[in-house]
């Protein structure tokens, strides 16, 4: 029989839900300006932050763009994919559980 959760466990899962990192990956084809635009529109970065993050991905291969609850992280991954494909670019975002 599955155990009924204690009130303290319910509170913990509401106050401390599992968080997911959204990771943007480098590629050789997506234009830098398009990536900056995505970082501003999808991840709500300002221009300076978006430029810095784009360069980090470009030089290091990937970077964390933000940390969100599961549904929000999944939506952002999907928004990146959909905007990228609609514009013919291979830009990729993935999500990963924060330890
Ligand atoms: N490397 C790409 C270029 O030189 C730019 C780029 C940056 C692509 C970040 C993807 O997540 C990315 N045009």
């Amino acid at each position: 029989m599955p155990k009924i959760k204690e009130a303290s466990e319910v509170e913990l899962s509401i106050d401390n839900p599992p968080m997911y990192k959204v990771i943007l990956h480098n590629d050789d084809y997506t234009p830098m300006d398009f990536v900056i635009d995505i970082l501003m529109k999808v991840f709500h970065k300002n221009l300076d932050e978006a430029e810095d993050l784009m360069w980090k991905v470009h030089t290091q291969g990937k970077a964390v763009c933000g940390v969100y609850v599961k549904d929000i992280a999944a939506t952002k991954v999907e928004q990146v994919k959909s905007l990228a494909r609609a514009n013919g670019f291979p830009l990729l975002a993935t999500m990963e559980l924060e330890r």
Side-chain angles (χ1 to χ4, degrees):
M1 273 276 277
K3 119 177 199 298
I4 295 168
K5 275 190 200 288
E6 303 283 347
S8 62
E9 290 179 274
V10 175
E11 273 166 38
L12 194 67
S13 62
I14 291 169
D15 292 344
N16 284 314
M19 299 298 284
Y20 288 76
K21 298 181 281 189
V22 175
I23 298 158
L24 197 63
H25 298 262
N26 189 36
D27 67 71
D28 293 337
Y29 304 101
T30 307
M32 292 180 175
D33 284 351
F34 184 82
V35 177
I36 291 168
D37 223 51
I38 290 277
L39 288 168
M40 294 176 72
K41 289 191 176 128
V42 176
F43 297 95
H44 307 295
K45 306 297 180 188
N46 66 37
L47 179 59
D48 269 15
E49 294 167 337
E51 285 175 343
D52 287 354
L53 204 45
M54 184 284 296
W55 277 109
K56 185 173 184 186
V57 178
H58 179 72
T59 56
Q60 300 182 12
K62 61 183 177 179
V64 175
C65 300
V67 180
Y68 309 94
V69 294
K70 192 176 195 177
D71 280 10
I72 304 288
T75 300
K76 294 198 185 284
V77 165
E78 207 42 54
Q79 285 172 332
V80 171
K81 185 177 182 177
S82 146
L83 288 165
R85 297 309 169 270
N87 288 275
F89 301 131
L91 184 64
L92 174 70
T94 56
M95 58 194 273
E96 189 180 300
L97 181 62
E98 235 197 354
R99 74 280 116 209

